[in-house]
Amino acid sequence: MPLSATQEDVKSLVDGLHFAEKVERSLGLIREAYEEYGDRLVVANSLGKDSCAVWDLAKRVSPDIRGFIVTTRFKPKETVQFMNEEVARHPELKVFRNDESIPEKLYETDPDMCCDILKVQPTRQAIEEMNVGCWVTGLRCTEGRTRTDFQEIEERDVGLLKLNPILIWHEREVWEYLALNQVPVNPLYAKGYRSLGCEPCTHISSDPDERAGRWIGTSKCGGECGIHTRPLKVSYQI
Ligand code: SF4
């Protein structure tokens, strides 16, 4: 399965493969990319359930694979605690954070700008500083309305491959994987959250859309922070 031949019909794969086939496919995608990119393959670990699954898959391919976490001043204390535990378990996880001053409650007045400053910019920094050629994400096409058009392998920035190895997994398959492999997860899931982000912008929701609890009451409701939609190579910033 060469990297260049994976622009398949994503929707047919979502329901056409069973759980074990998806796990094998995901491992194969990471393995193949790692063979090509080596140390320049880096996992973006958001500390959410999907990232936890991808991080575990990557560690099965090679314990040497590196990762980065982008955190913000607004992360819930449970997420900060979980981050500290993950970094203690895996020192090859590097944390990035932007501490520059921003207007008070920018997350209410301009959440796009807030995410751009606190999330997108540190992601760009991580990609630059870690010399990333291929970044690996936990993005899934069944997560919500904004995630239906992605591919397993993308090159949105010239010279930066993006691998979405669990793109075709359902939410229940992520939990199946985490449970079967006893992968630690953020304790906020036990409280009812389904999608995790910064505290002011994340709520518990019973809406069928998995990301419906994100940015409620703003133009960004159920949307994206920008790391999957904005240019990430520093030389291509707009
Ligand atoms: S999720 Fe909310 S608080 Fe966090 S960076 Fe985005 S707008 Fe700001």
Side-chain angles (χ1 to χ4, degrees), residues 114-134:
C114 189
C115 276
D116 196 62
I117 295 169
L118 300 187
K119 289 186 169 180
V120 179
Q121 288 185 24
T123 303
R124 287 189 184 124
Q125 185 190 356
I127 283 166
E128 181 80 2
E129 281 187 19
M130 295 180 82
N131 190 26
V132 178
C134 174

Side-chain angles (χ1 to χ4, degrees), residues 74 107 111 114-115 118-119 198 200-201 215:
F74 296 119
Y107 49 78
C114 189
C115 276
L118 300 187
K119 289 186 169 180
C198 295
C201 306
W215 297 288

Side-chain angles (χ1 to χ4, degrees), residues 46 48 50 75 115 119 143 145 147 189 193-198 200-205 209-225:
S46 73
D50 309 298
K75 291 289 182 184
C115 276
K119 289 186 169 180
E143 250 182 301
R145 60 177 172 79
R147 300 209 159 173
Y189 288 113
Y193 291 89
R194 288 173 70 198
S195 177
L196 303 180
C198 295
C201 306
T202 307
H203 298 87
I204 295 173
S205 167
D209 187 328
E210 199 176 326
R211 293 174 62 80
R214 308 288 296 274
W215 297 288
I216 284 177
T218 75
S219 56
K220 224 170 154 61
C221 186
E224 296 290 328
C225 69

Side-chain angles (χ1 to χ4, degrees), residues 144-196:
R145 60 177 172 79
T146 58
R147 300 209 159 173
T148 54
D149 292 330
F150 290 90
Q151 297 290 331
E152 287 174 315
I153 298 161
E154 305 182 326
E155 192 175 356
R156 291 184 179 235
D157 294 84
V158 177
L160 176 66
L161 204 76
K162 179 180 175 191
L163 184 66
N164 304 314
I166 63 165
L167 185 77
I168 60 172
W169 290 31
H170 288 292
E171 183 183 21
R172 66 168 165 75
E173 290 167 327
V174 174
W175 285 115
E176 199 173 344
Y177 180 88
L178 296 170
L180 289 169
N181 293 283
Q182 299 180 320
V183 179
V185 294
N186 191 317
L188 287 173
Y189 288 113
K191 295 189 175 179
Y193 291 89
R194 288 173 70 198
S195 177
L196 303 180

